[in-house]
Amino acid sequence: MQHQPISLSPDLKHLRDEGYEIEIIGGYVCIHHIPYVNAEKEVKLGKLITDLTLDTPTLAGKPKHHTVYFVGEQPCHLTGEPMEEIINSNPNTALTDKITGNYYLSSKPAGGNYENYYDKFTRYITLITVAARSLDPTATARTYQPMDDEDEDGVFQYYDTNSSRANILQLNAKFKTQKIGIIGLGGTGSYTLDFTAKTCVTEIHLFDGDELKVHNAFRMPGAASSDDLQAVVKKVDYFAAKYSKLHKGIKPHVVYVTEETKYLLAGLSFVFICVDKNSVRNAIIQILLAMNIPFIDVGMGVRVIGGQLTGMTRTTTGTPEKNDHLANRIATEDTDENDYATNVQIAELNAFNAVSAVIKWKKMVGFYQDLRHEFHSTYSINVAEIINEDTKA
């Protein structure tokens, strides 16, 4: 799958067929083995890299801009003077967890942009290698060496070109070692899956023993058809089929998490608890604490007052190091004093609760900056107020 954008895109295939060491790395196109001259008038080898634009999951489109990154020392003329006519800046931008763009190059064509990647790369290769070829006539970027695809074991079914365009692939790498679990695939749990499936975690394990029902359709992302609802399918199987089209690591478990099934949680890095019964969530919390698995528990309380809905959403985090606040924040007894179960058209609250949980998790991973380190957060609907509490010293 990962080689298809090269094979099916005429301009990328043209580069490969002419012997250039072309590789797709995440959402970038990279040409290796670019001979250049450094400030000491030595011939070195660098790389050219630019973000990949896709018209379809397997077909490259027109480059979005005319610039490229250069990986290596400062490219110079035969005299050792910098190629200032094409060097825009020296940003040392981390493009992936393994590649840093040392120099940002700009050579704009007459039309303002290149029509394809072949024209773009060969233009820069010509400009950079001319000095190297003067010193070493055998220096060439056309090696005809096959390239191993570093992304062939990637978790996505197609490339994440948005992350490469925003230069955050190196941040996404923070998720690569994570195996997460989502317990409960109702409204908030299904939105949590929707958001986490766009991250490059290794695996996402889904736990729920219930079947997909009509009321679920009004609380979850996307649109379930009548056929979907009449098929009597388990929630985890339905969502696994949907999201496996994007992420390869979706693992459904048609079970409720109990002492008998807790072995399925072994090896998980993090768990989202998205259940609606206090007694159940408390039992799950005790299991996770005993297994030293960090988690976020979400909750929602909604009431009808004066013909309008009010209430709050809650996001509570627990870790092996910080859990002394849980008893004061999460009720252990079930209650009927909640109109949530009868007010199905509140998907936005489910989504908001999931957003709060996923943002907090991403802070804990190190993707987002966290200056507060709160372990308990509530959002009150009627006053639009977010309160963060139980901060870690």
Side-chain angles (χ1 to χ4, degrees):
M1 182 280 297
Q2 300 290 344
H3 289 284
Q4 286 182 340
I6 295 178
S7 300
L8 300 182
S9 300
D11 50 340
L12 300 182
K13 183 176 183 296
H14 194 182
L15 286 163
R16 186 188 64 186
D17 292 347
E18 288 199 354
Y20 294 105
E21 295 185 12
I22 182 172
E23 181 183 19
I24 305 296
I25 304 175
Y28 293 104
V29 187
C30 181
I31 303 289
H32 299 260
H33 203 280
I34 307 296
Y36 70 98
V37 172
N38 66 5
E40 284 72 41
K41 303 179 185 179
E42 300 169 321
V43 175
K44 299 286 187 177
L45 296 176
K47 303 175 183 179
L48 286 171
I49 187 167
T50 189
D51 54 280
L52 173 65
T53 299
L54 293 176
D55 283 344
T56 73
T58 56
L59 180 65
K62 180 179 177 179
K64 285 291 184 183
H65 49 75
H66 67 278
T67 55
V68 299
Y69 285 97
F70 181 74
V71 180
E73 300 176 46
Q74 189 174 45
C76 297
H77 294 290
L78 187 62
T79 60
E81 295 298 316
M83 291 185 171
E84 294 181 351
E85 66 275 15
I86 63 171
I87 298 175
N88 180 280
S89 61
N90 173 213
N92 288 318
T93 300
L95 303 177
T96 73
D97 56 335
K98 297 180 180 179
I99 296 180
T100 296
N102 303 115
Y103 290 89
Y104 195 52
L105 309 183
S106 175
S107 178
K108 184 179 292 187
N113 198 6
Y114 295 95
E115 289 298 316
N116 55 67
Y117 285 98
Y118 179 85
D119 291 346
K120 181 175 182 176
F121 275 116
T122 54
R123 173 58 178 165
Y124 281 100
I125 291 170
T126 299
L127 293 172
I128 292 171
T129 61
V130 62
R133 293 178 62 190
S134 296
L135 291 176
D136 180 3
T138 66
T140 180
R142 298 168 65 178
T143 66
Y144 291 91
Q145 294 297 314
M147 291 298 301
D148 293 329
D149 195 327
E150 292 186 3
D151 263 1
E152 62 184 353
D153 295 323
V155 299
F156 295 121
Q157 300 288 5
Y158 40 86
Y159 291 109
D160 176 13
T161 56
N162 280 335
S163 291
S164 58
R165 197 169 301 159
N167 288 335
I168 60 170
L169 282 181
Q170 79 284 359
L171 292 177
N172 289 346
K174 296 175 182 288
F175 300 108
K176 285 187 175 180
T177 60
Q178 293 259 325
K179 294 182 180 181
I180 67 172
I182 302 174
I183 302 176
L185 268 294
T188 304
S190 57
Y191 274 103
T192 300
L193 170 61
D194 187 77
F195 300 138
T196 56
K198 276 88 170 182
T199 68
C200 56
V201 294
T202 302
E203 296 175 359
I204 303 175
H205 291 256
L206 311 180
F207 301 90
D208 198 315
D210 289 343
E211 295 175 352
L212 186 70
K213 299 293 186 180
V214 172
H215 69 271
N216 300 127
F218 289 93
R219 287 177 176 161
M220 67 190 198
S225 68
S226 295
D227 291 340
D228 291 331
L229 298 171
Q230 292 174 5
V232 192
V233 63
K234 296 294 184 179
K235 287 181 188 176
V236 294
D237 291 332
Y238 171 83
F239 286 110
K242 290 290 184 182
Y243 285 90
S244 290
K245 297 174 183 177
L246 168 64
H247 199 291
K248 300 177 186 176
I250 310 296
K251 311 291 183 181
H253 303 280
V254 186
V255 298
Y256 302 108
V257 174
T258 64
E259 285 291 331
E260 289 69 34
T261 60
K262 68 180 182 182
Y263 69 93
L264 294 170
L265 302 173
L268 294 186
S269 310
F270 198 90
V271 167
F272 294 91
I273 306 173
C274 307
V275 300
D276 56 7
K277 288 187 177 181
N278 292 333
S279 58
V280 173
R281 67 162 41 93
N282 185 62
I284 294 170
I285 287 172
Q286 298 311 311
I287 290 172
L288 293 173
L289 289 175
M291 297 179 72
N292 290 320
I293 300 175
F295 61 87
I296 290 177
D297 176 66
V298 295
M300 185 186 306
V302 181
R303 297 297 305 274
V304 177
I305 296 179
Q308 297 177 314
L309 292 177
T310 189
M312 67 170 55
T313 64
R314 174 187 56 78
T315 305
T316 306
T317 304
T319 69
E321 299 77 24
K322 171 67 176 170
N323 54 70
D324 57 344
H325 60 295
L326 298 177
N328 296 325
R329 300 302 183 184
I330 301 175
T332 58
E333 300 295 328
D334 295 330
T335 176
D336 294 328
E337 295 181 6
N338 190 347
D339 293 323
Y340 168 74
T342 59
N343 293 283
V344 297
Q345 305 258 9
I346 48 176
E348 63 277 5
L349 293 183
N350 292 120
F352 185 86
N353 214 178
V355 164
S356 301
V358 172
I359 288 177
K360 177 59 183 177
W361 167 65
K362 286 189 172 184
K363 286 182 177 182
M364 297 173 72
V365 172
F367 185 85
Y368 290 125
Q369 185 181 49
D370 190 355
L371 300 179
R372 184 61 63 86
H373 298 286
E374 78 285 350
F375 277 66
H376 180 73
S377 179
T378 57
Y379 169 71
S380 299
I381 299 169
N382 55 359
V383 293
E385 183 176 48
I386 296 177
I387 297 177
N388 296 314
E389 299 177 282
D390 298 313
T391 57
K392 183 173 68 173

